[in-house]
Amino acid sequence: SDNLKSYVTRADKYEPKFTQLCEQLGAHFQVDLQAARVAKPKDKASVESGVGIAYWRIYGPLRNEIFHSPQALNEAIRKQLDLHNTKPYQKKEGSRQEIFQTYELPILKDLPDQLFEIKKIASAKVQRNYHVFLGEEKNYYSVSYQYVGHQAQVIYTSQVVEIFIKDQRVAIHKRLFNRGNYHYQTNEKHMPERHRKWKEIKGYDARYFLNEAQKIGSATHWAMQHVLLSKIHEAQTYNSCKGIL
C-alpha cells in the first residue's frame, strides 16, 4: 500500500542502525558513501544505466548458452566483461579499461589488513561501583570512578569493548569470553585510591567472590552479585561477601 512506509533500521536492538553501519563501512575501507537524495532520480541515473549496460553487453550474449558448472559460467562472464571494458567509447577517446589504468589505479589503496567487523552499540549508565553493564552478554566493564552516574555509550565487537561519554572514549577493555555470568572486567586505574590500597592489602575483588560463589551454586552466585551492587563502593561489600562464603 502507498500509505505504508517501511524503513530498515536494525535487525535487533544491539546492532547499529543502517546509517551507522554505512558509516562504519566507509571508515573501515576509507571511502565516501553518499545516499541518493529523495525524489532526485538523476542521482541514480548512472547506476541504473550501468546495470542496463551490464545486462545488454554481458548477460545478453550468454542468454542462449548452456553452462554445466559455476566455473564455466564465471569464465564466460569474465570474457564478456573484458570485452565490455576494452570496447572503445563511441563519443570520446579511450575505453573503460584505459580510464581505470590511467586515472583510478594509481590512487587506489590497499585493502585493510583486518576484516570488517560490525561494531554493536548500546547505552548504559555508569553504576555506583563505576562499572557499566553490557546487557547482551550480562557482564560488567569498569570506567574511572569519576564518571559514576553518567550516561555512557558502549561500542563493542567480538574482541574489544570501548566506552564513550560525551563522544570521548574513557575506557577500553578486551571483551570477556565468559558471557552470561555477570563477570567483572576491572581496570585498577579506574578504582579510587583507597580501593586500590584496600585491594592490595586484602587481595579481594568482585571476580574472586563471584567465582567462589559459583563453586557453591547458582543461587549463591545470584546473591553474591546483588550484594556486590548494594553499596556505593564495591569494596564496602566485601565483608558481607566473606560472610556469605
Side-chain angles (χ1 to χ4, degrees):
S1 173
D2 294 337
N3 295 327
L4 296 177
K5 293 183 178 180
S6 176
Y7 300 96
V8 177
T9 54
R10 61 179 76 182
D12 63 55
K13 65 180 180 178
Y14 297 111
E15 292 187 357
K17 293 182 179 179
F18 181 74
T19 52
Q20 294 171 328
L21 179 57
C22 289
E23 291 173 356
Q24 292 182 21
L25 276 169
H28 181 77
F29 291 105
Q30 297 184 14
V31 296
D32 182 23
L33 301 177
Q34 295 182 350
R37 296 170 295 177
V38 177
K40 298 292 182 179
K42 290 185 178 181
D43 284 2
K44 300 185 292 182
S46 60
V47 176
E48 293 177 352
S49 175
V51 173
I53 292 175
Y55 274 104
W56 174 37
R57 291 189 176 177
I58 299 176
Y59 295 107
L62 305 177
R63 64 185 181 276
N64 295 323
E65 297 191 32
I66 298 176
F67 301 94
H68 298 282
S69 70
Q71 293 78 10
L73 175 60
N74 287 333
E75 289 177 4
I77 291 175
R78 170 61 66 181
K79 180 179 179 180
Q80 295 300 322
L81 179 62
D82 291 339
L83 291 173
H84 167 63
N85 286 332
T86 56
K87 184 178 179 64
Y89 286 116
Q90 294 181 354
K91 296 182 180 181
K92 60 181 179 179
E93 295 182 356
S95 63
R96 290 173 173 82
Q97 184 70 24
E98 292 174 354
I99 294 297
F100 170 74
Q101 291 178 339
T102 303
Y103 298 103
E104 298 178 2
L105 182 60
I107 60 175
L108 288 180
K109 298 179 180 179
D110 293 333
L111 290 174
D113 295 332
Q114 297 180 342
L115 294 176
F116 173 73
E117 184 175 8
I118 294 176
K119 293 183 177 180
K120 296 187 176 183
I121 302 173
S123 295
K125 187 176 182 179
V126 182
Q127 301 184 8
R128 295 180 301 172
N129 62 359
Y130 45 86
H131 285 71
V132 297
F133 180 65
L134 187 53
E136 182 181 10
E137 65 172 40
K138 295 181 174 60
N139 283 323
Y140 296 88
Y141 295 88
S142 69
V143 300
S144 177
Y145 69 94
Q146 299 169 336
Y147 295 109
V148 168
H150 285 67
Q151 193 67 29
Q153 186 179 55
V154 185
I155 301 177
Y156 57 102
T157 66
S158 61
Q159 302 295 324
V160 177
V161 175
E162 298 176 277
I163 304 171
F164 293 81
I165 294 178
K166 295 182 179 180
D167 297 327
Q168 179 182 358
R169 192 176 71 182
V170 297
I172 181 170
H173 294 273
K174 185 176 181 180
R175 192 171 177 188
L176 292 168
F177 290 101
N178 296 321
R179 297 169 188 171
N181 293 319
Y182 298 91
H183 288 176
Y184 284 77
Q185 182 82 297
T186 305
N187 184 338
E188 291 190 11
K189 294 181 180 179
H190 294 157
M191 303 170 66
E193 184 177 359
R194 60 184 179 276
H195 285 196
R196 291 198 297 267
K197 290 183 177 179
W198 191 93
K199 186 180 179 227
E200 289 175 2
I201 297 172
K202 299 292 185 179
Y204 297 130
D205 59 12
R207 179 177 296 183
Y208 166 79
F209 286 114
L210 289 171
N211 288 340
E212 292 300 312
Q214 187 64 48
K215 295 176 183 177
I216 299 173
S218 59
T220 307
H221 185 274
W222 176 88
M224 191 72 75
Q225 70 188 16
H226 282 276
V227 171
L228 286 165
L229 296 174
S230 65
K231 298 291 185 181
I232 295 177
H233 300 300
E234 181 186 281
Q236 296 175 342
T237 68
Y238 289 171
N239 284 335
S240 298
C241 293
K242 289 169 60 180
I244 292 175
L245 295 180

